[in-house]
Amino acid sequence: MNDMNVNKKLSVFAIFILVIIFIYMVFGNLLNYDAAEFTNLFCDEKYLYYNNTDGNVCRYNLEEKSVMLIARKKIIVSYDNGILCCKNNNAYIMMDSSGCKIGTIDFNGGITSLDIYKNNVYYKNENDGNKIYKMGIDGLNETKVTDFPVGRFKVDSGYIVYEMNNDFLYSYNLETKESEKIYGGKYCFDFDIYDNWVYLSDYLMNGALIKINIADHSVDLVGEYGTPAFCVNKNRIFYIPEPDQGNKLPSKLNIYQVGIDGKNAVKITESYK
């Protein structure tokens, strides 16, 4: 009789453990998302792409003002010309703008920063001192791009714009292979490149959005929005205001747009979900 009771207790305990494992497998990835990763924004002339607070990939139609969920439990890392790159654990999944899978690249945890440009994946290779490499979106033809280490970086308009030790911004001309410092600020929240301008939200200016001309290094103030995340297309800038809850995003977070001149801010989503 005692043996039966012991076996019954063991069975209940085993079922309990299995339930815990199942819950972890279903929700574990979401619990491990860094709050900042939810604020990724990417855009083109027709769509705005973002991670919502459920950790899903959404596409917002700028003309129809409608939202479509295109991928579940993946983090958007980069977007360029109809190609999305989303992270799922150590795998980087290439998708088209509708969420259809194109291919997968597994770096085995050897990178910390990635950007897509002209059907190539540029990435910071931890196995070679954080130097930038590139390969096709099919994972082939790996080539070293820089002989120096970088921090965060973005690629567009023929340039790599990168940080050095979380301090200062530099540009690297992909054609001439020359680097130069373009901005003396430090600790920017986010930056983006569009049409030979670098847009960035400056930490020391409380997240104010400024733009820097890559050619002559001139600096213009776009707006004092206090934004940790934004993206730029031909006519508009899309941004998320800095949340009031420290590093944690509220359950509802609005996305705004302004003209390329920084004027006429309008809320375009009623909920970040």
Side-chain angles (χ1 to χ4, degrees):
M1 188 71 175
N2 289 335
D3 290 341
M4 291 180 63
N5 288 334
V6 171
N7 290 335
K8 185 175 181 180
K9 289 179 180 179
L10 288 174
S11 297
V12 171
F13 180 74
I15 292 172
F16 174 76
I17 293 298
L18 289 173
V19 170
I20 295 298
I21 293 173
F22 174 77
I23 291 173
Y24 177 80
M25 290 177 66
V26 173
F27 297 104
N29 287 336
L30 181 57
L31 294 173
N32 287 330
Y33 285 153
D34 186 281
E37 291 179 309
F38 282 114
T39 61
N40 290 336
L41 288 177
F42 299 94
C43 60
D44 54 26
E45 303 306 309
K46 187 174 181 179
Y47 297 115
L48 174 67
Y49 303 90
Y50 61 93
N51 276 117
N52 66 11
T53 51
D54 292 326
N56 298 320
V57 180
C58 295
R59 186 185 74 185
Y60 180 84
N61 189 307
L62 296 170
E63 297 176 359
E64 300 175 359
K65 299 181 179 179
S66 59
V67 178
M68 175 183 292
L69 191 154
I70 61 174
R72 294 185 180 277
K73 301 298 182 285
K74 294 177 179 63
I75 300 170
I76 306 177
V77 178
S78 181
Y79 172 81
D80 183 65
N81 196 29
I83 305 295
L84 277 166
C85 177
C86 295
K87 183 180 179 182
N88 186 10
N89 296 320
N90 288 330
Y92 289 80
I93 302 167
M94 305 299 161
M95 302 185 295
D96 66 18
S97 59
S98 298
C100 295
K101 183 177 176 180
I102 297 172
T104 300
I105 302 176
D106 193 340
F107 293 97
N108 295 316
I111 70 167
T112 55
S113 188
L114 177 152
D115 203 13
I116 301 174
Y117 177 60
K118 291 188 174 181
N119 289 323
N120 283 299
V121 179
Y122 289 77
Y123 61 95
K124 187 169 69 173
N125 192 337
E126 288 185 330
N127 298 320
D128 189 18
N130 291 324
K131 298 168 186 175
I132 296 177
Y133 281 63
K134 74 173 182 177
M135 64 174 63
I137 60 172
D138 56 4
L140 302 176
N141 302 318
E142 182 181 57
T143 306
K144 182 188 286 190
V145 178
T146 69
D147 286 320
F148 50 84
V150 302
R152 291 183 298 171
F153 72 91
K154 295 285 181 72
V155 191
D156 205 341
S157 303
Y159 291 92
I160 299 174
V161 173
Y162 61 95
E163 289 180 315
M164 291 285 282
N165 301 318
N166 292 325
D167 197 2
F168 306 128
L169 281 181
Y170 292 78
S171 67
Y172 176 82
N173 189 308
L174 289 171
E175 182 177 352
T176 65
K177 305 185 186 307
E178 296 178 346
S179 290
E180 59 179 341
K181 186 172 74 174
I182 61 173
Y183 186 61
K186 59 191 299 185
Y187 302 118
C188 62
F189 283 119
D190 192 15
F191 58 94
D192 196 11
I193 310 170
Y194 187 81
D195 195 23
N196 293 315
W197 288 86
V198 179
Y199 293 76
L200 68 88
S201 50
D202 192 297
Y203 177 81
L204 295 182
M205 297 175 65
N206 296 317
L209 192 62
I210 64 174
K211 66 177 183 177
I212 307 152
N213 188 288
I214 294 178
D216 63 18
H217 309 167
S218 59
V219 179
D220 293 331
L221 176 66
V222 179
E224 298 179 354
Y225 306 121
T227 173
F230 65 92
C231 61
V232 184
N233 71 12
K234 183 178 180 180
N235 300 309
R236 290 175 280 190
I237 300 169
F238 303 93
Y239 70 95
I240 299 173
E242 185 176 7
D244 296 325
Q245 302 180 22
N247 292 324
K248 294 182 179 180
L249 293 177
S251 59
K252 292 185 178 180
L253 194 62
N254 297 312
I255 300 174
Y256 288 74
Q257 71 174 28
V258 294
I260 200 71
D261 57 0
K263 298 179 180 179
N264 302 317
V266 177
K267 182 168 62 176
I268 64 171
T269 64
E270 291 297 329
S271 169
Y272 196 54
K273 287 178 172 289

